[in-house]
Amino acid sequence: MTSREASQAPREFGGPLGVAALLILLPATMFHLLLAARSGPARLLALPAYLPGLEELWSPWALLLLFIWLGLQVALYLLPARKVAEGLELKDKSRLRYPINGFQALVLTALLMGLGVSVGLPLGALPGMLLPLAFATTLTSFIFSLLLYAKALVAPASALAPGGNSGNSMYDFFLGRELNPRLGSFDFKYFCELRPGLIGWVCINLALLMQEAELRGSPSLAMWLVNGFQLLYVGDALWYEESVLTTMDIIHDGFGFMLVFGDLAWVPFTYSLQAQFLLYHPQPLGLPMALLICLLKGLETIPTATGRQLLVSGWWGMVRHPNYLGDLIMALAWSLPCGLSHLLPYFYVLYFTALLVHREARDEQQCLQKYGRAWQEYCKRVPYRIIPYVY
């Protein structure tokens, strides 16, 4: 794509003005959720009772802890992998190689944390550091994104992402100019996609569980369910790590602030919202209801396509994106342990619905370009996008 073609291509998220708003709105939303979860009313749609000052947000210890965490995950990434996979063919006909050792990193992290706790590591103190940790991660995400943008300015045209080469600096900073920024064989986007954020998420959940045990004698059934469901999700994602190589994040999107902040900050601090809520607002959950929620979670196992042909049978004969339907059922299942008295723990369901509808629209456009008439015929045979008979 030439510079002229790139500048004339349709822009997402409302163009430069939209991404300028998102650069503020995304961090602000994350901090709002962190503050709302620990507040008395725990209201999703109300302003926080107070806004923390810089002395509450900034902590050199939080920054040091973040760097130690990232350094640990880099070290685990560089360990010998059980498999090395090739990505899809790039513009220059080459294929990048990726280590498949994310699940190994999760297991080793768990062992190291278990060892640390056994010798007195105060993991239960981590929830009290969430605000300064989120601030340090947000600051780091902005700086890292600027460095990635500067690196992309000297990258060859063949290395640029289709959507992040618009010619508008703010828009390209947000979406990411370079498709696969690397330092030697170390792939920044692939590393950040599943490692520090997802594993950090379950570590925060565990810390919240441990603090609840310290406060109330033992973790609640609701807290156990949330931790178990989300650990299963993360473990599954890392066990099938190779499947991420065919996602839009890897094959289409550049690595800019959108993915950097999303991977490093949004995922661990926002996706742990249910566990945060339960720590400050314990909810009664009986065994029968817990079993029903577990049954709902079992419905998550909807298969995903791995081939290049268009499937018109099974789940793919009912909706065009059944994997997204599974994601929504799963999101509901791990919000239900928080009860129905507050909207706040259901933010993830609302957010994920909006995210998947937007992503589905992007998928539709990509598939139309890739498959042409075959995709149009498929859409006629399978008219529903995500939810059968609804959407």
Side-chain angles (χ1 to χ4, degrees):
M1 181 180 291
T2 65
S3 299
R4 181 181 178 83
E5 290 172 333
S7 63
Q8 295 176 345
R11 294 180 180 178
E12 301 180 79
F13 305 105
L17 288 179
V19 301
L22 287 173
L23 287 170
I24 300 172
L25 184 61
L26 289 175
T29 300
M30 181 184 71
F31 282 105
H32 169 70
L33 295 173
L34 287 169
L35 292 170
R38 64 182 62 197
S39 70
R43 293 174 182 166
L44 175 62
L45 302 179
L47 292 176
Y50 83 102
L51 294 178
L54 184 61
E55 66 279 0
E56 293 181 71
L57 294 174
W58 169 248
S59 166
W61 295 109
L63 185 63
L64 177 61
L65 180 58
L66 172 63
F67 287 166
I68 290 173
W69 174 252
L70 293 175
L72 170 64
Q73 294 307 315
V74 168
L76 296 178
Y77 176 94
L78 296 174
L79 290 177
R82 60 184 173 90
K83 180 181 179 181
V84 176
E86 286 190 341
L88 299 182
E89 188 176 275
L90 302 175
K91 293 178 185 178
D92 61 2
K93 307 302 180 183
S94 66
R95 292 177 183 267
L96 297 176
R97 293 168 63 81
Y98 300 89
I100 308 300
N101 59 0
F103 190 81
Q104 172 182 296
L106 174 64
V107 172
L108 291 175
T109 300
L111 291 174
L112 289 172
M113 289 189 64
L115 178 62
V117 170
S118 69
V119 297
L121 179 70
L123 187 60
L126 184 62
M129 295 184 65
L130 288 185
L131 275 177
L133 273 173
F135 184 78
T137 308
T138 301
L139 182 62
T140 300
S141 297
F142 272 103
I143 296 173
F144 185 32
S145 300
L146 283 171
L147 294 175
L148 288 169
Y149 182 82
K151 179 182 181 299
L153 293 177
V154 295
S158 61
L160 300 182
N165 185 26
S166 70
N168 182 278
S169 298
M170 183 174 296
Y171 185 81
D172 294 344
F173 167 81
F174 182 81
L175 261 70
R177 278 178 55 83
E178 194 171 358
L179 183 62
N180 301 294
R182 287 190 162 207
L183 185 61
S185 63
F186 187 90
D187 192 295
F188 291 110
K189 182 166 69 171
Y190 176 70
F191 166 75
C192 291
E193 185 75 12
L194 295 180
R195 309 297 183 99
L198 281 185
I199 300 177
W201 168 20
V202 295
C203 289
I204 290 173
N205 276 355
L206 178 60
L208 291 160
L209 182 148
M210 292 184 65
Q211 188 174 39
E212 184 180 51
E214 292 175 6
L215 291 175
R216 303 187 181 103
S218 64
S220 64
L221 180 56
M223 181 69 85
W224 277 118
L225 277 186
V226 167
N227 267 260
F229 287 165
Q230 296 183 350
L231 176 61
L232 179 63
Y233 174 84
V234 171
D236 179 79
L238 292 168
W239 181 261
Y240 296 103
E241 182 180 24
E242 187 174 352
S243 64
V244 80
L245 299 180
T246 59
T247 62
M248 285 190 67
D249 286 359
I250 297 295
I251 66 176
H252 180 269
D253 293 337
F255 195 43
F257 181 82
M258 178 179 72
L259 288 181
V260 171
F261 177 79
D263 293 340
L264 300 182
W266 184 268
V267 166
F269 298 108
T270 300
Y271 286 19
S272 60
L273 181 63
Q274 288 87 3
Q276 294 178 50
F277 173 83
L278 288 172
L279 176 65
Y280 298 104
H281 307 275
Q283 301 293 311
L285 180 66
L287 187 58
M289 180 57 69
L291 292 175
L292 286 175
I293 295 172
C294 289
L295 178 62
L296 179 64
K297 183 67 169 63
L299 297 178
E300 174 203 340
T301 56
I302 296 173
T304 58
T306 56
R308 291 184 174 274
Q309 298 185 16
L310 296 178
L311 302 179
V312 291
S313 62
W315 283 101
W316 264 263
M318 297 174 61
V319 291
R320 301 202 288 268
H321 302 276
N323 48 328
Y324 290 174
L325 175 60
D327 283 335
L328 291 176
I329 294 173
M330 172 197 63
L332 178 62
W334 70 43
S335 299
L336 285 173
C338 298
L340 300 175
S341 61
H342 291 77
L343 181 61
L344 181 66
Y346 291 86
F347 169 81
Y348 181 82
V349 181
L350 301 174
Y351 150 75
F352 217 51
T353 299
L355 173 71
L356 292 180
V357 168
H358 174 262
R359 179 164 290 188
E360 179 272 334
R362 298 178 75 198
D363 288 345
E364 292 280 317
Q365 186 62 34
Q366 293 290 321
C367 289
L368 181 60
Q369 294 177 0
K370 183 175 182 179
Y371 298 113
R373 290 183 180 178
W375 183 257
Q376 293 175 334
E377 177 62 26
Y378 174 61
C379 291
K380 291 179 182 178
R381 295 182 62 176
V382 185
Y384 298 105
R385 296 168 180 248
I386 298 178
I387 304 176
Y389 307 106
V390 177
Y391 176 74

